[in-house]
Amino acid sequence: KQEVTQIPAALSVPEGENLVLNCSFTDSAIYNLQWFRQDPGKGLTSLLLIQSSQREQTSGRLNASLDKSSGRSTLYIAASQPGDSATYLCAVSGSARQLTFGSGTQLTVLP
Amino acid sequence: GAGVSQSPRYKVAKRGQDVALRCDPISGHVSLFWYQQALGQGPEFLTYFQNEAQLDKSGLPSDRFFAERPEGSVSTLKIQRTQQEDSAVYLCASSSTTGGSQETQYFGPGTRLLVL
């Protein structure tokens, strides 16, 4: 059974810092890995999707990498802003189509 | 509409009541997924549909949970005889594809269910 772990569970940084969120998964037979953002009381917003054949994806200040063989992904956020404060979730999909999520990293960016 | 919508947004039920949660997917999306998110946890898969066919219901926690999508668009998740452990946010997602490495699931805002 696929298991996804995210470290750290919570992170607090001053505005302007670069930061890295980590995600690991136990079964490397994935189709893709997605990073989502969740604001309090809201649904999930997809940030980046990395297909299993890809190594990284970039969108603005966000960069996500995937090392499928070692079962790891990182989300790099450059020049963090208070508006980046949210919970970041990592999820993997496979042949069963369901997304398997980690428990998330709660990020607070202090002004 | 532009995105996935869910109703009601909040639901308070007394233990033992039946509830029905509705999901309107993005127009034209063939696949629809339901997830349950407990406080402080990531979402967990419940079931999914491709058009009107329920292809996987392995995540439904008990036979009190039932989902349907009779016309291949709107879906309803029904919980019978609710229990306190059913309290959670129920998320619906839809996708324009039938799987594969490029599939992106688009999520609705969720229904927050509180069972007293």
Side-chain angles (χ1 to χ4, degrees):
Chain A
K1 179 185 172 185
Q2 178 73 269
E3 292 183 1
V4 179
T5 303
Q6 291 188 245
I7 296 173
L11 181 63
S12 183
V13 300
E15 182 177 4
E17 271 204 8
N18 304 324
L19 58 100
V20 175
L21 307 181
N22 296 291
C23 172
S24 62
F25 48 95
T26 56
D27 185 349
S28 62
I30 64 170
Y31 279 16
N32 63 44
L33 182 144
Q34 284 185 259
W35 283 94
F36 291 89
R37 169 185 173 139
Q38 186 171 35
D39 293 281
K42 302 288 180 61
L44 279 64
T45 301
S46 180
L47 298 173
L48 290 165
L49 181 149
I50 312 176
Q51 297 179 49
S52 60
S53 59
Q54 297 174 326
R55 294 299 298 258
E56 65 177 346
Q57 282 288 337
T58 298
S59 176
R61 294 182 293 107
L62 305 180
N63 176 276
S65 67
L66 173 64
D67 184 341
K68 200 174 76 162
S69 61
S70 68
R72 294 179 187 173
S73 176
T74 61
L75 178 66
Y76 175 83
I77 302 177
S80 57
Q81 303 171 358
D84 295 330
S85 298
T87 296
Y88 291 80
L89 292 157
C90 164
V92 296
S93 75
S95 58
R97 296 193 65 195
Q98 58 183 269
L99 291 174
T100 302
F101 287 84
S103 295
T105 293
Q106 186 174 356
L107 173 65
T108 302
V109 181
L110 303 170
Chain B
V4 178
S5 61
Q6 293 185 245
S7 61
R9 292 294 313 279
Y10 303 92
K11 177 70 179 177
V12 178
K14 292 183 180 178
R15 188 162 57 92
Q17 278 186 332
D18 297 348
V19 298
L21 312 180
R22 177 186 168 109
C23 173
D24 285 80
I26 295 173
S27 178
H29 276 198
V30 298
S31 301
L32 186 146
F33 302 79
W34 284 99
Y35 294 85
Q36 179 189 59
Q37 186 175 23
L39 190 63
Q41 300 297 316
E44 292 192 354
F45 170 78
L46 295 176
T47 184
Y48 90 89
F49 294 83
Q50 189 167 301
N51 297 305
E52 68 277 3
Q54 188 174 18
L55 298 187
D56 187 345
K57 53 182 182 179
S58 62
L60 295 176
S62 78
D63 59 8
R64 296 185 297 104
F65 287 70
F66 172 76
E68 60 183 5
R69 195 187 186 200
E71 297 179 357
S73 60
V74 171
S75 176
T76 303
L77 176 67
K78 298 179 179 178
I79 309 174
Q80 297 177 324
R81 304 181 303 281
T82 53
Q83 301 178 5
Q84 287 185 323
E85 59 262 33
D86 300 334
S87 296
V89 175
Y90 291 85
L91 294 166
C92 174
S94 69
S95 163
S96 62
T97 68
T98 57
S101 64
Q102 299 182 55
E103 177 168 58
T104 298
Q105 295 184 22
Y106 298 89
F107 282 78
T111 293
R112 185 174 299 273
L113 173 65
L114 177 62
V115 182
L116 302 176

Short mmCIF file of all heavy atoms in Angstrom, two decimals, chain A residues 6-22 35-40 47 61-62 75-89 103-111:
data_model
loop_
_atom_site.label_atom_id
_atom_site.label_comp_id
_atom_site.label_asym_id
_atom_site.label_seq_id
_atom_site.Cartn_x
_atom_site.Cartn_y
_atom_site.Cartn_z
N GLN A 6 5.29 13.62 4.67
CA GLN A 6 5.77 14.98 4.42
C GLN A 6 6.48 15.50 5.67
O GLN A 6 5.98 15.38 6.79
CB GLN A 6 4.61 15.91 4.05
CG GLN A 6 4.03 15.60 2.70
CD GLN A 6 3.02 16.63 2.26
OE1 GLN A 6 1.85 16.33 2.11
NE2 GLN A 6 3.50 17.86 2.03
N ILE A 7 7.62 16.08 5.42
CA ILE A 7 8.43 16.66 6.48
C ILE A 7 8.89 18.05 6.05
O ILE A 7 9.30 18.23 4.89
CB ILE A 7 9.68 15.79 6.78
CG1 ILE A 7 9.23 14.42 7.32
CG2 ILE A 7 10.60 16.47 7.76
CD1 ILE A 7 10.37 13.45 7.49
N PRO A 8 8.83 19.09 6.95
CA PRO A 8 8.30 19.01 8.31
C PRO A 8 6.77 19.12 8.31
O PRO A 8 6.18 19.47 7.31
CB PRO A 8 8.94 20.23 8.98
CG PRO A 8 9.05 21.23 7.87
CD PRO A 8 9.35 20.42 6.63
N ALA A 9 6.17 18.88 9.45
CA ALA A 9 4.72 19.03 9.58
C ALA A 9 4.33 20.50 9.61
O ALA A 9 3.24 20.88 9.18
CB ALA A 9 4.21 18.33 10.83
N ALA A 10 5.23 21.34 10.15
CA ALA A 10 4.96 22.77 10.21
C ALA A 10 6.28 23.51 10.06
O ALA A 10 7.34 23.02 10.45
CB ALA A 10 4.28 23.15 11.52
N LEU A 11 6.18 24.70 9.47
CA LEU A 11 7.38 25.49 9.20
C LEU A 11 7.01 26.97 9.27
O LEU A 11 6.00 27.38 8.70
CB LEU A 11 7.90 25.14 7.80
CG LEU A 11 9.15 25.82 7.30
CD1 LEU A 11 10.35 25.45 8.16
CD2 LEU A 11 9.42 25.42 5.84
N SER A 12 7.84 27.73 9.97
CA SER A 12 7.62 29.16 10.08
C SER A 12 8.90 29.88 9.66
O SER A 12 9.97 29.58 10.20
CB SER A 12 7.24 29.53 11.52
OG SER A 12 6.96 30.89 11.64
N VAL A 13 8.78 30.78 8.69
CA VAL A 13 9.97 31.46 8.17
C VAL A 13 9.68 32.95 8.02
O VAL A 13 8.52 33.35 7.85
CB VAL A 13 10.38 30.88 6.79
CG1 VAL A 13 10.72 29.40 6.90
CG2 VAL A 13 9.32 31.12 5.75
N PRO A 14 10.72 33.79 8.07
CA PRO A 14 10.51 35.21 7.79
C PRO A 14 10.36 35.45 6.30
O PRO A 14 10.89 34.70 5.47
CB PRO A 14 11.79 35.86 8.34
CG PRO A 14 12.81 34.79 8.29
CD PRO A 14 12.09 33.49 8.49
N GLU A 15 9.64 36.48 5.98
CA GLU A 15 9.42 36.85 4.58
C GLU A 15 10.75 37.00 3.84
O GLU A 15 11.72 37.53 4.37
CB GLU A 15 8.65 38.17 4.53
CG GLU A 15 8.31 38.66 3.14
CD GLU A 15 7.47 39.93 3.18
OE1 GLU A 15 7.25 40.46 4.29
OE2 GLU A 15 7.06 40.39 2.11
N GLY A 16 10.77 36.52 2.60
CA GLY A 16 11.94 36.66 1.77
C GLY A 16 12.84 35.44 1.74
O GLY A 16 13.69 35.32 0.85
N GLU A 17 12.65 34.52 2.67
CA GLU A 17 13.50 33.32 2.70
C GLU A 17 13.10 32.35 1.60
O GLU A 17 11.95 32.26 1.20
CB GLU A 17 13.38 32.61 4.05
CG GLU A 17 14.36 33.09 5.07
CD GLU A 17 14.63 32.06 6.15
OE1 GLU A 17 14.18 30.91 6.04
OE2 GLU A 17 15.30 32.45 7.12
N ASN A 18 14.10 31.60 1.14
CA ASN A 18 13.86 30.46 0.26
C ASN A 18 13.65 29.24 1.15
O ASN A 18 14.29 29.11 2.19
CB ASN A 18 15.05 30.23 -0.66
CG ASN A 18 15.40 31.45 -1.49
OD1 ASN A 18 14.51 32.20 -1.91
ND2 ASN A 18 16.68 31.69 -1.70
N LEU A 19 12.75 28.35 0.74
CA LEU A 19 12.48 27.20 1.60
C LEU A 19 12.20 25.96 0.76
O LEU A 19 11.87 26.04 -0.42
CB LEU A 19 11.31 27.50 2.54
CG LEU A 19 9.99 27.88 1.91
CD1 LEU A 19 9.07 26.69 1.87
CD2 LEU A 19 9.34 29.03 2.66
N VAL A 20 12.36 24.82 1.44
CA VAL A 20 12.17 23.52 0.78
C VAL A 20 11.23 22.66 1.62
O VAL A 20 11.42 22.52 2.83
CB VAL A 20 13.52 22.79 0.61
CG1 VAL A 20 13.29 21.38 0.05
CG2 VAL A 20 14.44 23.58 -0.30
N LEU A 21 10.23 22.12 0.96
CA LEU A 21 9.32 21.17 1.58
C LEU A 21 9.61 19.79 1.01
O LEU A 21 9.87 19.66 -0.20
CB LEU A 21 7.86 21.56 1.31
CG LEU A 21 7.47 22.99 1.67
CD1 LEU A 21 5.99 23.20 1.37
CD2 LEU A 21 7.78 23.31 3.12
N ASN A 22 9.55 18.78 1.87
CA ASN A 22 9.92 17.43 1.46
C ASN A 22 8.74 16.48 1.45
O ASN A 22 7.83 16.58 2.28
CB ASN A 22 10.98 16.87 2.40
CG ASN A 22 12.26 17.67 2.35
OD1 ASN A 22 12.97 17.63 1.35
ND2 ASN A 22 12.54 18.41 3.41
N TRP A 35 1.77 18.61 -6.28
CA TRP A 35 1.80 19.45 -5.10
C TRP A 35 0.56 20.33 -5.13
O TRP A 35 0.24 20.94 -6.16
CB TRP A 35 3.05 20.31 -5.08
CG TRP A 35 4.28 19.55 -4.66
CD1 TRP A 35 5.19 18.94 -5.49
CD2 TRP A 35 4.75 19.34 -3.33
NE1 TRP A 35 6.18 18.34 -4.74
CE2 TRP A 35 5.93 18.59 -3.42
CE3 TRP A 35 4.28 19.72 -2.08
CZ2 TRP A 35 6.67 18.19 -2.29
CZ3 TRP A 35 5.01 19.34 -0.96
CH2 TRP A 35 6.19 18.59 -1.07
N PHE A 36 -0.12 20.36 -3.98
CA PHE A 36 -1.33 21.16 -3.83
C PHE A 36 -1.12 22.17 -2.71
O PHE A 36 -0.32 21.97 -1.79
CB PHE A 36 -2.53 20.29 -3.44
CG PHE A 36 -3.03 19.36 -4.49
CD1 PHE A 36 -2.50 18.08 -4.61
CD2 PHE A 36 -4.03 19.74 -5.37
CE1 PHE A 36 -2.96 17.20 -5.57
CE2 PHE A 36 -4.51 18.86 -6.33
CZ PHE A 36 -3.97 17.60 -6.43
N ARG A 37 -1.92 23.21 -2.78
CA ARG A 37 -1.98 24.19 -1.70
C ARG A 37 -3.40 24.18 -1.15
O ARG A 37 -4.38 24.10 -1.92
CB ARG A 37 -1.65 25.58 -2.26
CG ARG A 37 -1.94 26.72 -1.32
CD ARG A 37 -1.71 28.05 -1.96
NE ARG A 37 -2.16 29.10 -1.05
CZ ARG A 37 -1.53 30.23 -0.83
NH1 ARG A 37 -0.39 30.50 -1.48
NH2 ARG A 37 -2.00 31.12 0.01
N GLN A 38 -3.53 24.24 0.18
CA GLN A 38 -4.85 24.30 0.80
C GLN A 38 -4.87 25.45 1.80
O GLN A 38 -4.09 25.47 2.75
CB GLN A 38 -5.21 22.98 1.50
CG GLN A 38 -6.63 22.95 2.03
CD GLN A 38 -7.04 21.57 2.52
OE1 GLN A 38 -6.23 20.82 3.06
NE2 GLN A 38 -8.32 21.23 2.33
N ASP A 39 -5.78 26.39 1.58
CA ASP A 39 -5.99 27.48 2.52
C ASP A 39 -7.08 27.08 3.51
O ASP A 39 -7.96 26.28 3.17
CB ASP A 39 -6.36 28.76 1.77
CG ASP A 39 -5.19 29.26 0.92
OD1 ASP A 39 -4.30 29.88 1.50
OD2 ASP A 39 -5.16 28.99 -0.30
N PRO A 40 -7.06 27.63 4.72
CA PRO A 40 -8.04 27.23 5.74
C PRO A 40 -9.47 27.30 5.23
O PRO A 40 -9.90 28.33 4.68
CB PRO A 40 -7.79 28.23 6.87
CG PRO A 40 -6.36 28.63 6.70
CD PRO A 40 -6.12 28.64 5.22
N LEU A 47 -0.76 23.03 -7.69
CA LEU A 47 0.36 23.94 -7.96
C LEU A 47 1.22 23.43 -9.11
O LEU A 47 1.52 24.16 -10.05
CB LEU A 47 1.22 24.10 -6.70
CG LEU A 47 0.53 24.71 -5.48
CD1 LEU A 47 1.45 24.65 -4.27
CD2 LEU A 47 0.10 26.14 -5.76
N ARG A 61 7.63 31.25 -8.80
CA ARG A 61 8.62 31.07 -7.72
C ARG A 61 8.68 29.64 -7.19
O ARG A 61 9.40 29.36 -6.24
CB ARG A 61 8.27 32.02 -6.57
CG ARG A 61 8.41 33.51 -6.93
CD ARG A 61 8.10 34.41 -5.73
NE ARG A 61 6.71 34.34 -5.33
CZ ARG A 61 6.27 33.73 -4.23
NH1 ARG A 61 7.13 33.12 -3.40
NH2 ARG A 61 4.98 33.72 -3.93
N LEU A 62 7.91 28.74 -7.78
CA LEU A 62 7.85 27.36 -7.32
C LEU A 62 8.62 26.45 -8.26
O LEU A 62 8.52 26.58 -9.48
CB LEU A 62 6.39 26.89 -7.25
CG LEU A 62 5.42 27.70 -6.42
CD1 LEU A 62 4.03 27.07 -6.49
CD2 LEU A 62 5.88 27.85 -4.99
N LEU A 75 9.58 20.49 -2.92
CA LEU A 75 8.97 21.72 -3.44
C LEU A 75 9.80 22.87 -2.91
O LEU A 75 9.92 23.06 -1.70
CB LEU A 75 7.51 21.86 -2.98
CG LEU A 75 6.81 23.15 -3.44
CD1 LEU A 75 6.65 23.16 -4.96
CD2 LEU A 75 5.45 23.30 -2.76
N TYR A 76 10.37 23.62 -3.83
CA TYR A 76 11.21 24.76 -3.50
C TYR A 76 10.41 26.03 -3.74
O TYR A 76 9.84 26.21 -4.83
CB TYR A 76 12.47 24.74 -4.38
CG TYR A 76 13.38 25.92 -4.22
CD1 TYR A 76 14.31 25.98 -3.19
CD2 TYR A 76 13.35 26.97 -5.13
CE1 TYR A 76 15.17 27.06 -3.06
CE2 TYR A 76 14.21 28.06 -5.01
CZ TYR A 76 15.12 28.09 -3.97
OH TYR A 76 15.97 29.17 -3.84
N ILE A 77 10.33 26.88 -2.72
CA ILE A 77 9.64 28.17 -2.85
C ILE A 77 10.69 29.26 -2.68
O ILE A 77 11.35 29.36 -1.63
CB ILE A 77 8.53 28.33 -1.79
CG1 ILE A 77 7.51 27.19 -1.91
CG2 ILE A 77 7.83 29.68 -1.97
CD1 ILE A 77 6.41 27.23 -0.86
N ALA A 78 10.83 30.08 -3.69
CA ALA A 78 11.82 31.16 -3.66
C ALA A 78 11.18 32.45 -3.14
O ALA A 78 10.01 32.72 -3.40
CB ALA A 78 12.38 31.39 -5.05
N ALA A 79 11.97 33.20 -2.40
CA ALA A 79 11.56 34.53 -1.95
C ALA A 79 10.15 34.51 -1.36
O ALA A 79 9.23 35.18 -1.88
CB ALA A 79 11.65 35.53 -3.11
N SER A 80 9.98 33.77 -0.29
CA SER A 80 8.64 33.54 0.28
C SER A 80 7.96 34.85 0.67
O SER A 80 8.61 35.84 1.05
CB SER A 80 8.74 32.62 1.49
OG SER A 80 9.61 33.16 2.47
N GLN A 81 6.62 34.82 0.58
CA GLN A 81 5.79 35.99 0.89
C GLN A 81 4.70 35.57 1.88
O GLN A 81 4.32 34.40 1.91
CB GLN A 81 5.13 36.51 -0.39
CG GLN A 81 6.11 36.89 -1.48
CD GLN A 81 5.42 37.21 -2.79
OE1 GLN A 81 4.20 37.10 -2.92
NE2 GLN A 81 6.21 37.61 -3.79
N PRO A 82 4.17 36.52 2.66
CA PRO A 82 3.09 36.15 3.60
C PRO A 82 1.91 35.47 2.90
O PRO A 82 1.26 34.60 3.49
CB PRO A 82 2.69 37.50 4.20
CG PRO A 82 3.95 38.31 4.16
CD PRO A 82 4.63 37.90 2.87
N GLY A 83 1.64 35.82 1.67
CA GLY A 83 0.56 35.19 0.92
C GLY A 83 0.82 33.73 0.60
O GLY A 83 -0.10 33.03 0.16
N ASP A 84 2.04 33.26 0.80
CA ASP A 84 2.34 31.85 0.60
C ASP A 84 1.92 31.00 1.79
O ASP A 84 1.96 29.77 1.72
CB ASP A 84 3.85 31.64 0.37
CG ASP A 84 4.36 32.29 -0.91
OD1 ASP A 84 3.57 32.40 -1.88
OD2 ASP A 84 5.54 32.71 -0.93
N SER A 85 1.52 31.63 2.87
CA SER A 85 1.10 30.90 4.07
C SER A 85 -0.11 30.03 3.75
O SER A 85 -1.15 30.53 3.29
CB SER A 85 0.77 31.86 5.21
OG SER A 85 1.92 32.61 5.58
N ALA A 86 0.02 28.74 3.98
CA ALA A 86 -1.02 27.76 3.67
C ALA A 86 -0.48 26.39 4.05
O ALA A 86 0.66 26.26 4.49
CB ALA A 86 -1.36 27.78 2.18
N THR A 87 -1.31 25.38 3.84
CA THR A 87 -0.84 24.00 3.99
C THR A 87 -0.53 23.45 2.60
O THR A 87 -1.34 23.60 1.68
CB THR A 87 -1.89 23.12 4.69
OG1 THR A 87 -2.09 23.61 6.03
CG2 THR A 87 -1.44 21.68 4.75
N TYR A 88 0.63 22.85 2.48
CA TYR A 88 1.08 22.28 1.20
C TYR A 88 1.00 20.76 1.29
O TYR A 88 1.57 20.15 2.19
CB TYR A 88 2.49 22.76 0.87
CG TYR A 88 2.50 24.24 0.54
CD1 TYR A 88 2.49 25.20 1.55
CD2 TYR A 88 2.46 24.67 -0.78
CE1 TYR A 88 2.45 26.56 1.25
CE2 TYR A 88 2.43 26.03 -1.09
CZ TYR A 88 2.42 26.96 -0.06
OH TYR A 88 2.38 28.31 -0.36
N LEU A 89 0.29 20.19 0.33
CA LEU A 89 0.08 18.75 0.30
C LEU A 89 0.73 18.14 -0.92
O LEU A 89 0.65 18.69 -2.02
CB LEU A 89 -1.42 18.43 0.28
CG LEU A 89 -2.20 18.77 1.56
CD1 LEU A 89 -3.67 18.96 1.25
CD2 LEU A 89 -2.02 17.68 2.59
N SER A 103 0.27 14.11 4.88
CA SER A 103 -0.49 14.87 5.87
C SER A 103 -0.28 16.38 5.74
O SER A 103 -0.96 17.15 6.43
CB SER A 103 -0.14 14.44 7.28
OG SER A 103 -0.53 13.10 7.50
N GLY A 104 0.65 16.79 4.91
CA GLY A 104 0.84 18.20 4.64
C GLY A 104 1.89 18.87 5.49
O GLY A 104 2.28 18.38 6.55
N THR A 105 2.37 20.00 4.99
CA THR A 105 3.26 20.89 5.74
C THR A 105 2.54 22.22 5.88
O THR A 105 2.16 22.84 4.87
CB THR A 105 4.60 21.10 5.02
OG1 THR A 105 5.34 19.88 5.00
CG2 THR A 105 5.42 22.18 5.73
N GLN A 106 2.34 22.65 7.11
CA GLN A 106 1.69 23.94 7.36
C GLN A 106 2.75 25.02 7.38
O GLN A 106 3.59 25.07 8.28
CB GLN A 106 0.93 23.90 8.68
CG GLN A 106 0.10 25.14 8.94
CD GLN A 106 -0.76 25.00 10.19
OE1 GLN A 106 -0.80 23.96 10.83
NE2 GLN A 106 -1.48 26.06 10.53
N LEU A 107 2.71 25.90 6.39
CA LEU A 107 3.72 26.95 6.23
C LEU A 107 3.17 28.29 6.68
O LEU A 107 2.06 28.69 6.29
CB LEU A 107 4.14 27.05 4.76
CG LEU A 107 5.06 28.21 4.40
CD1 LEU A 107 6.40 28.05 5.08
CD2 LEU A 107 5.23 28.32 2.88
N THR A 108 3.95 28.97 7.51
CA THR A 108 3.64 30.35 7.91
C THR A 108 4.81 31.23 7.52
O THR A 108 5.95 30.95 7.91
CB THR A 108 3.41 30.46 9.43
OG1 THR A 108 2.35 29.57 9.80
CG2 THR A 108 3.03 31.89 9.80
N VAL A 109 4.54 32.26 6.73
CA VAL A 109 5.56 33.23 6.33
C VAL A 109 5.28 34.52 7.08
O VAL A 109 4.22 35.14 6.89
CB VAL A 109 5.57 33.46 4.81
CG1 VAL A 109 6.67 34.46 4.44
CG2 VAL A 109 5.76 32.15 4.07
N LEU A 110 6.20 34.91 7.92
CA LEU A 110 6.01 36.06 8.79
C LEU A 110 6.46 37.34 8.10
O LEU A 110 7.52 37.40 7.51
CB LEU A 110 6.82 35.87 10.07
CG LEU A 110 6.49 34.59 10.85
CD1 LEU A 110 7.49 34.34 11.96
CD2 LEU A 110 5.07 34.68 11.39
N PRO A 111 5.61 38.39 8.16
CA PRO A 111 5.99 39.65 7.50
C PRO A 111 7.14 40.35 8.23
O PRO A 111 7.40 40.10 9.40
CB PRO A 111 4.72 40.49 7.56
CG PRO A 111 3.78 39.79 8.45
CD PRO A 111 4.29 38.40 8.74
#
